[in-house]
Amino acid sequence: MKQENIKISVIIPIYQVEKYLEKCINSVLEQNYTNIEIILVDDGATDNSPFICDKYAEEYENIKVVHQENAGLSVARNTGIANSSGNYVMFLDSDDFWDDPCAIERLVLRLEKTNPDVLNFSYKKFYEENNEEKPYFENIIDMPGYIRKLDQLEFLTANNLYIASACNKLIRRDLLNGNLMFKEGVFSEDIEWCAKLLVHSKTMDFVCENFYCYRQRNNSIRYSISDKNCRDLTDTIIKCFKIANKAEKNIKPYLYRYIAYQYGTFFIVQAQAKNEQKECIEELEKYKKILKYHIKNKKIQILNILCMVIGYKRTCKVIRIIYKIKNQRYR
């Protein structure tokens, strides 16, 4: 498909972000590549966000607005998918933004070259307190021209490049059918979705393009960890094991690497939760051997060693104590 014929649908779920919304939308409108449709999904916002959306839709023909009652991020993304018409779909959180007007043009050139179902790309964290930017991936290269999916998955998972985020991926629209909709009403919805994406896609690619700015906000949901956060993460990790068990044999090792990293995140999540997560820890202990699959991630290796030496439950307690001391230091 020629470059000018590749249409990109950018889905932006919106809720209570009037402070950041214009910067987010403008960063898409400023792209040199013009065959882009922007789908703004107002998820029942009660601030000025709905009016900002309508203002942009009146001014720009390629912007579509959908207003709905508040139902959460997953529902908003699914609404965006249902209203999209592009060849490929991208997700952009409404408090984040892109900082390179040539980014989509380069991604589309890569699509022309490798024709993947999923094009992964790098991103950076943006700390709004001091406007500091930090790349999430370091010392990385574009994926070599692998043709076989297994070689592609080996590159991605061995280099820790396949992560549980919908926002660093350009996905062929045809893939997003009933099997790849976001699960509604849960936190950590990206984890299970990305596991399914790994299974259902026929080809993947990766490019080092640090244009996505992932805003770090102190008042965002990612900094207030509740019992539901931990419960949902636990259930999602277990569901990923079920996905792996049903997957083709040659895909399983790469799913296990991916799950091992997600399993490792639970140690940190439970450590920062307000309440101890005894029930979740009890359920996840039986899966601790998964950590041995991620042999090239130093943090996962350390967790695996700790679990073997002092046990899974004690490792959770030690990490919780460390975070408690750390939090007290910064108060």
Side-chain angles (χ1 to χ4, degrees), residues 99-114:
D99 70 353
D100 183 347
C102 299
I104 303 305
E105 183 178 44
R106 290 198 298 272
L107 290 186
V108 170
L109 286 172
R110 183 74 178 193
L111 290 178
E112 285 186 296
K113 182 178 179 180
T114 62

Side-chain angles (χ1 to χ4, degrees), residues 85-117:
S85 62
N87 305 105
Y88 284 83
V89 169
M90 300 179 71
F91 298 97
L92 173 59
D93 286 349
S94 50
D95 55 347
D96 299 336
F97 60 96
W98 300 339
D99 70 353
D100 183 347
C102 299
I104 303 305
E105 183 178 44
R106 290 198 298 272
L107 290 186
V108 170
L109 286 172
R110 183 74 178 193
L111 290 178
E112 285 186 296
K113 182 178 179 180
T114 62
N115 193 34
D117 282 346

Side-chain angles (χ1 to χ4, degrees), residues 3 17-18 42 82 93 136 139 156 163 189 279 300 305 314 324 328:
Q3 179 179 350
V17 286
E18 62 179 5
D42 163 32
D93 286 349
Y136 186 82
N139 300 320
L156 288 169
I163 63 172
E189 65 282 339
E279 182 179 316
I300 302 300
I305 293 170
R314 287 195 180 95
K324 186 176 181 181
Q328 289 176 343

Side-chain angles (χ1 to χ4, degrees), residues 8 12 21 51-52 84 100 106 119 129 149 151 153 170 182 230 256 262 302:
I8 307 296
I12 306 178
L21 187 53
F51 303 101
I52 296 173
S84 66
D100 183 347
R106 290 198 298 272
L119 176 58
E129 290 183 351
K149 180 180 178 179
D151 293 329
L153 294 182
L170 190 55
F182 290 90
C230 294
Y256 288 154
Q262 310 314 319
I302 292 171

Side-chain angles (χ1 to χ4, degrees), residues 118 149 162 175-184 189-202 204 236 239-240 242-244 246-247 251 255 258-259:
V118 181
K149 180 180 178 179
Y162 190 73
L175 269 180
L176 301 178
N177 51 29
N179 292 323
L180 282 170
M181 304 302 282
F182 290 90
K183 187 171 181 61
E184 301 175 4
E189 65 282 339
D190 283 3
I191 294 176
E192 181 182 0
W193 185 82
C194 287
K196 290 181 178 180
L197 188 65
L198 187 152
V199 172
H200 289 283
S201 61
K202 294 182 180 179
M204 286 195 174
T236 298
K239 287 177 183 176
C240 286
K242 293 179 180 179
I243 292 170
K246 294 179 181 179
I251 298 295
L255 272 169
Y258 170 77
I259 297 169

Side-chain angles (χ1 to χ4, degrees), residues 3 23 25 30 41 46 53 108 110 122 165 177 184 190 214 217 221 224 235 239 248 255 270 305 315 320 323:
Q3 179 179 350
K23 185 176 183 65
I25 298 172
E30 291 167 359
V41 183
T46 58
C53 291
V108 170
R110 183 74 178 193
S122 46
S165 173
N177 51 29
E184 301 175 4
D190 283 3
Y214 176 34
R217 292 198 284 148
I221 60 173
S224 54
D235 291 342
K239 287 177 183 176
E248 295 179 8
L255 272 169
Q270 64 85 28
I305 293 170
T315 300
R320 186 170 176 83
Y323 269 86

